[in-house]
Amino acid sequence: MTGLGAFLRREWRLSLRATAWVVASAALNVLYTVTSGNALTQLSHRNASGFLQALGLTLLVLGGFAWQRYATTVTQAQVNEQVATDVRQGIAGRLAATTPAVFHRHGVPTYLSWLTNDVSTIQEYGLENFWLALWQVLTVVMATVTLWRYHYSLALAALVLTGLMLVAPRPLTPAMNRTNLATTEANSALTTALTDRLNGFDQLALLNRSEQLTTAATQQSQYLRKARVAYARATGRLFAVTNGASFLCQLAILALTGWLFLSHRVPLGTFVTAETLSGSLFSSLTGLAANVAEIKTVAPILAKFTAVPVPPRPTAPLAGPLQHALCLTNIHYTYPDAATPVLAGVSYRFAAGGHYAIVGESGSGKSTLLAVLAGLIEPQAGRYTFDDQDVATVAPAALRAQIALVTQQPVLFNLTLRENLTLGQPVAAAALAKAMQDTGLDRVVATLPKGLETRLDLAGANLSGGQKQRIALTRALLSDRPILLLDEALANLDPASTRQVEAALLALPNRTEIWVTHHLSPQTAALMSSVITVGKPRGDAATPPGGEASGRRNESPAAGPIAEPLV
């Protein structure tokens, strides 16, 4: 993730337009001070025509100032929103490029906070302060040049005092960086806690524990309040120091101008102009010190996004669709913080075109086995091959192009049903109709008011569990992957629908299918090439040589390939 300046340079056209209007704003602000001071000078000389001329110029300046306020607001909004979009694209792109294992090091609410709260912070403390700081720098420069026009000593004094104003707040900046980062972390914690409780609202209600939502909101809000108050204290100290210094500097310029006037070196109008310019100059410096300090607090936030590393990926292609077998050899996998491995020495061979059922007790590693096959997790030991090609060397996208995984709890998006099925890929109408017929989704679509154009609620809340699984199955079939992994993918269907969909799936041509199920009927088992039991070995199970996982074949397998323990 690059710095804020890099994002502004990327949008250089918009940034240049916004910068031009900031220059115009600073110039008009100083010009107004000069023309109004000239009017006073002409009035002190009782020069009516000169006074009216200065008054007319002041009116023109005010008209230009009003127009630039509109243009400045619009152009800054355009560049700020575009940069915010670029930042979100950068975060999303980094997440899209990482591995599932790395992605899950942080919770989804944390990423959501990055994409919302943190981007808003970058806009407020970074971009908005940047434009204000630019205006302040230009005002300081133009005010100093104008003071030189009246008398060089005013400009020299302004330069010396400017240096003091810039040095004064430096010791206070680290505390602002630290407390602002703590505020973003508190925002993330609040988002995480509330997302967690809101997702579990029904369960909390059933247990009469709905107050957990209030408790979480209160506790995390107190944490956020503490962080924000700490940041307010840090910024308050900075403002106190810079404002105090600003008042002293303005008083010094005012005293010098008064001495010059009494010495008959400058006219009366200069006294008023110098007073106004010094006010603009040092108030700008006061704001500049604070704004620069706040801009610097954005750097740790942008750096935080690199907490999601993009590890180097293997790049080897796959030779093509599976011709021989998927082989797992002595696979080991232990989840973080787990005391024992969920997969310990698992070895199996899944032949191309075979249909396999994996059964076993809960927690025995069935879903983990499918996650390894799908490439979602990498085994910590052992070898996984695709037609004798080591999957560890294969580009992840190449493997995923061959495999479709359907889980018991499918992920649906807040899009139309058609978009949920195709995910933006072109799909022929005939293929869509056939896939929906195989999964029974066509009957569901017929009941929806807008058919395939019906928009699904967040997480598919307007659908039943069975309807969600039909959608996920249809999506997998439309992907046309030659290997189909089903993890309790029919668990929410009624028995009659389950039998219909099972028959349709097992009849698909040229598909290697591996099913994880707790509800394997004798009729379905008879259609399988092999039934594998994972977990604790049993007396009737054949233990693969060199591994601890068991593998039991169906006692009456259908003709065809079987899942063989590897020797």
Side-chain angles (χ1 to χ4, degrees):
M1 184 64 64
T2 53
L4 194 61
F7 286 105
L8 289 169
R9 288 191 295 272
R10 182 186 304 175
E11 304 299 336
W12 65 271
R13 290 183 177 86
L14 288 174
S15 298
L16 191 60
R17 288 171 53 195
T19 299
W21 284 111
V22 172
V23 172
S25 175
L28 289 168
N29 184 60
V30 172
L31 190 58
Y32 169 75
T33 302
V34 172
T35 56
S36 58
N38 287 343
L40 181 60
T41 297
Q42 296 302 322
L43 193 62
S44 68
H45 294 162
R46 299 182 181 277
N47 184 346
S49 61
F51 172 73
L52 292 175
Q53 185 179 11
L55 212 59
L57 288 174
T58 302
L59 183 61
L60 289 175
V61 170
L62 289 174
F65 190 82
W67 172 250
Q68 71 79 27
R69 285 298 299 166
Y70 165 78
T72 298
T73 301
V74 172
T75 54
Q76 288 182 14
Q78 289 173 334
V79 68
N80 290 357
E81 291 304 320
Q82 185 57 52
V83 168
T85 299
D86 292 343
V87 172
R88 292 190 182 98
Q89 286 178 340
I91 298 170
R94 195 171 188 89
L95 293 177
T98 194
T99 63
V102 171
F103 175 86
H104 290 294
R105 290 178 186 175
H106 298 276
V108 169
T110 296
Y111 298 131
L112 181 62
S113 182
W114 289 4
L115 292 162
T116 54
N117 296 330
D118 285 359
V119 172
S120 295
T121 299
I122 290 169
Q123 286 184 291
E124 180 181 355
Y125 293 156
L127 294 168
E128 292 178 10
N129 280 334
F130 170 79
W131 297 117
L132 189 53
L134 177 61
W135 181 87
Q136 290 160 340
V137 168
L138 291 170
T139 298
V140 168
V141 171
M142 292 179 183
T144 302
V145 171
T146 305
L147 286 173
W148 185 284
R149 175 179 173 273
Y150 288 109
H151 199 277
Y152 71 89
S153 63
L154 294 174
L156 291 176
L159 289 173
V160 171
L161 295 173
T162 295
L164 295 175
M165 285 284 297
L166 292 176
V167 171
R170 285 188 178 181
L172 304 175
T173 302
M176 290 184 64
N177 292 345
R178 184 176 61 255
T179 53
N180 190 41
L181 184 59
T183 300
T184 67
E185 292 171 350
N187 266 322
S188 178
L190 176 63
T191 302
T192 298
L194 293 182
T195 301
D196 182 56
R197 303 310 190 278
L198 290 170
N199 284 338
F201 181 85
D202 289 349
Q203 187 64 40
L204 292 173
L206 288 171
L207 295 172
N208 287 328
R209 298 294 294 165
S210 297
E211 71 274 8
Q212 286 289 316
L213 177 59
T214 305
T215 301
T218 302
Q219 290 177 344
Q220 296 302 321
S221 293
Q222 289 173 345
Y223 175 37
L224 179 59
R225 176 186 61 81
K226 182 179 178 181
R228 285 184 170 171
V229 169
Y231 181 72
R233 287 196 179 100
T235 55
R237 286 191 291 268
L238 181 73
F239 287 140
V241 170
T242 54
N243 274 282
S246 174
F247 295 149
L248 293 175
C249 291
Q250 289 180 53
L251 186 60
I253 292 293
L254 192 60
L256 177 60
T257 308
W259 178 79
L260 290 172
F261 173 71
L262 293 174
S263 302
H264 304 288
R265 300 185 182 187
V266 295
L268 178 63
T270 301
F271 182 84
V272 176
T273 301
E275 179 186 15
T276 305
L277 286 175
S278 65
S280 296
L281 190 155
F282 293 113
S283 64
S284 294
L285 284 171
T286 299
L288 180 62
N291 292 330
V292 169
E294 287 191 329
I295 291 171
K296 289 181 178 178
T297 67
V298 170
I301 299 175
L302 289 169
K304 182 177 67 175
F305 300 149
T306 59
V308 180
V310 180
R313 297 284 193 94
T315 58
L318 282 173
L322 188 67
Q323 299 296 320
H324 304 293
L326 298 174
C327 293
L328 301 175
T329 307
N330 200 27
I331 296 295
H332 292 256
Y333 188 81
T334 304
Y335 284 102
D337 301 324
T340 58
V342 65
L343 298 178
V346 172
S347 298
Y348 283 109
R349 180 179 186 273
F350 299 95
H355 296 160
Y356 304 94
I358 300 176
V359 299
E361 298 177 356
S362 296
S364 59
K366 303 183 300 298
S367 296
T368 306
L369 188 62
L370 288 195
V372 171
L373 290 170
L376 290 178
I377 59 177
E378 298 177 6
Q380 292 146 349
R383 192 164 184 258
Y384 170 25
T385 59
F386 185 109
D387 281 344
D388 298 324
Q389 186 174 357
D390 193 341
V391 169
T393 68
V394 173
L399 179 66
R400 293 168 192 163
Q402 302 296 320
I403 296 175
L405 171 64
V406 182
T407 64
Q408 184 176 357
Q409 297 181 351
V411 175
L412 301 181
F413 302 97
N414 185 209
L415 303 169
T416 66
L417 178 53
R418 183 188 301 276
E419 290 169 329
N420 266 278
L421 293 174
T422 64
L423 297 179
Q425 296 294 319
V427 174
L432 178 58
K434 177 63 168 62
M436 291 195 299
Q437 181 182 8
D438 286 343
T439 62
L441 183 61
D442 53 349
R443 297 191 296 274
V444 176
V445 173
T447 66
L448 299 176
K450 295 183 180 179
L452 287 170
E453 306 311 318
T454 301
R455 181 171 292 274
L456 305 189
D457 288 350
L458 190 66
N462 54 338
L463 299 173
S464 69
Q467 290 171 331
K468 293 178 185 178
Q469 288 197 315
R470 292 181 194 272
I471 294 172
L473 284 166
T474 305
R475 180 194 293 162
L477 296 184
L478 288 173
S479 71
D480 200 29
R481 304 297 202 262
I483 301 170
L484 190 59
L485 308 180
L486 305 176
D487 189 357
E488 294 286 359
L490 308 179
N492 292 321
L493 300 183
D494 61 85
S497 296
T498 298
R499 289 192 294 272
Q500 292 172 0
V501 176
E502 283 178 345
L505 293 177
L506 291 171
L508 293 173
N510 304 317
R511 297 287 176 105
T512 304
E513 299 182 17
I514 304 174
W515 300 40
V516 163
T517 179
H518 283 105
H519 309 286
L520 184 64
S521 67
Q523 296 90 339
T524 304
L527 298 174
M528 292 292 175
S529 306
S530 179
V531 177
I532 306 165
T533 300
V534 299
K536 185 177 180 180
R538 302 175 183 175
D540 61 347
T543 303
E548 298 177 21
S550 66
R552 179 170 61 85
R553 300 180 185 179
N554 186 14
E555 295 179 2
S556 300
I562 59 176
E564 303 171 355
L566 292 177
V567 179

